[in-house]
Amino acid sequence: MAASRIIRSLVLDASALSAASDENSLLRFQVRKAADRGARLYTTSATLAEVLRGKPRDAKTNQFLSAIDIQVVDEKIGRGAGTRIGQASNRGNVTIDAIVVEVASRLPKPVAIMTSDFKDINGLADPGMMILDLAN
């Protein structure tokens, strides 16, 4: 995560949440460092459905979630995400990605989204949103 700007809101999508849940991962260290510098950590309730399976292996994720503000997907967010999908050139199932971006658009700026789905998230994001690509 080589963002030189101060990030006030850091949104984790499913891939970022899964990777950061491992307490020994470099990503976990980077997320904690961002939080120590004042970033507030977020994810969405829809993201939880992508990550959690009601199995014992969820324990690390559940523990990590205690440090994250989980944004509930309501009607306004659902409508906004749908509008983003309609305006984007993305093809395929980008519903959860659109929800993540819509939530990010409503958070204190500057905002960054951590993802391994850079192309999809970038195609839905507002100008000025930082997209932190886990694949690079």
Side-chain angles (χ1 to χ4, degrees):
M1 185 173 76
S4 60
R5 296 184 352 196
I6 293 175
I7 298 168
R8 289 188 60 202
S9 302
L10 179 58
V11 182
L12 299 143
D13 79 348
S15 57
L17 180 60
S18 293
S21 293
D22 178 354
E23 58 201 31
N24 297 314
S25 72
L26 176 59
L27 183 61
R28 173 75 162 258
F29 172 77
Q30 292 171 326
V31 167
R32 289 285 185 210
K33 191 173 180 180
D36 290 346
R37 291 181 175 169
R40 188 153 181 197
L41 307 177
Y42 297 90
T43 195
T44 74
S45 57
T47 301
L48 300 183
E50 286 191 301
V51 174
L52 300 174
R53 293 294 175 255
K55 306 275 184 188
R57 70 181 184 135
D58 291 345
K60 287 183 179 181
T61 303
N62 285 321
Q63 182 180 12
F64 183 60
L65 285 170
S66 67
I68 297 177
D69 185 341
I70 301 168
Q71 297 290 293
V72 175
V73 178
D74 62 12
E75 180 182 354
K76 288 180 184 178
I77 291 170
R79 288 178 181 274
T83 299
R84 284 179 188 280
I85 294 168
Q87 294 173 345
S89 61
N90 298 36
R91 297 289 178 246
N93 188 358
V94 294
T95 303
I96 303 294
D97 294 332
I99 289 169
V100 168
V101 173
E102 184 62 23
V103 164
S105 75
R106 297 163 184 264
L107 297 173
K109 310 296 185 266
V111 63
I113 301 171
M114 284 188 137
T115 183
S116 63
D117 296 328
F118 179 84
K119 184 178 177 185
D120 289 341
I121 295 286
N122 194 52
L124 296 160
D126 296 337
M129 280 186 182
M130 287 182 277
I131 314 301
L132 306 175
D133 189 359
L134 299 178
N136 290 324

